[in-house]
Amino acid sequence: MYELSKKLAHETHYWKVWKHQKRICVEYGVIGVSKESEEIQLKLFDNGSKLMKRLVEEKRSQGYVNSDEKEAIDIVIHNDNGVSEYDVLKKASFELYEMIEKELMETSIGFPDGVDINDESRVIITCFVEDMDIAIQRIRQVISGQKLINVNQISLDNGGEPIDVMVKDIKS
């Protein structure tokens, strides 16, 4: 798989290509905004690797460069709903994980890579993202709209350093 991106003043365009069986798959768009895809069916004697390399060179000539490594971000949700039953919190955590996964994947911002519940009943969802600012905005929207876990604080953590804290009002 080749992943390329092109940063403009207020947005980042991305482009990905990979071979799957007898097809070349291409996905492109603006990170956090749009996502398009297309498939190129290979004929019997087509060389998929050569075609992919030619497509990559075309994108590079348009100013695209290899994508940087994705940044890791931990979403730490301070559970404040008094749920002492681990199984209930676990189920809600996985449902929230799926909501975040859908948002990040549909907009090509990144992907979540695991969910954990620590000894203090804090839910930790680890994600890898292309653009930290857009990811924070989208994650905050998902968490603000969810009704699975009552929270009073959500912190987004990048390698041990809090990068964003959202306090949510609790309605009794």
Side-chain angles (χ1 to χ4, degrees), residues 67-128:
S67 288
D68 296 334
E69 290 291 316
K70 291 178 175 38
E71 295 183 73
I73 182 173
D74 284 335
I75 306 163
V76 182
I77 302 168
H78 304 260
N79 176 27
D80 192 39
N81 60 352
V83 173
S84 57
E85 191 174 329
Y86 178 80
D87 289 337
V88 173
L89 184 57
K90 181 179 173 183
K91 183 178 186 288
S93 300
F94 280 111
E95 289 178 29
L96 181 57
Y97 175 94
E98 289 173 355
M99 292 169 66
I100 291 170
E101 178 180 47
K102 181 179 183 218
E103 181 65 28
L104 294 180
M105 301 275 297
E106 284 183 355
T107 56
S108 294
I109 297 169
F111 57 91
D113 191 43
V115 61
D116 190 26
I117 301 171
N118 71 11
D119 293 338
E120 299 164 338
S121 293
R122 289 186 178 156
V123 175
I124 302 166
I125 300 174
T126 301
C127 301
F128 291 93

Side-chain angles (χ1 to χ4, degrees), residues 6 25 33 59 72-74 114 116 130 141 149 162-163 168:
K6 181 178 179 180
C25 303
V33 178
K59 284 296 173 188
I73 182 173
D74 284 335
D116 190 26
E130 291 280 348
Q141 288 173 351
I149 301 173
I163 54 173
K168 186 174 178 180

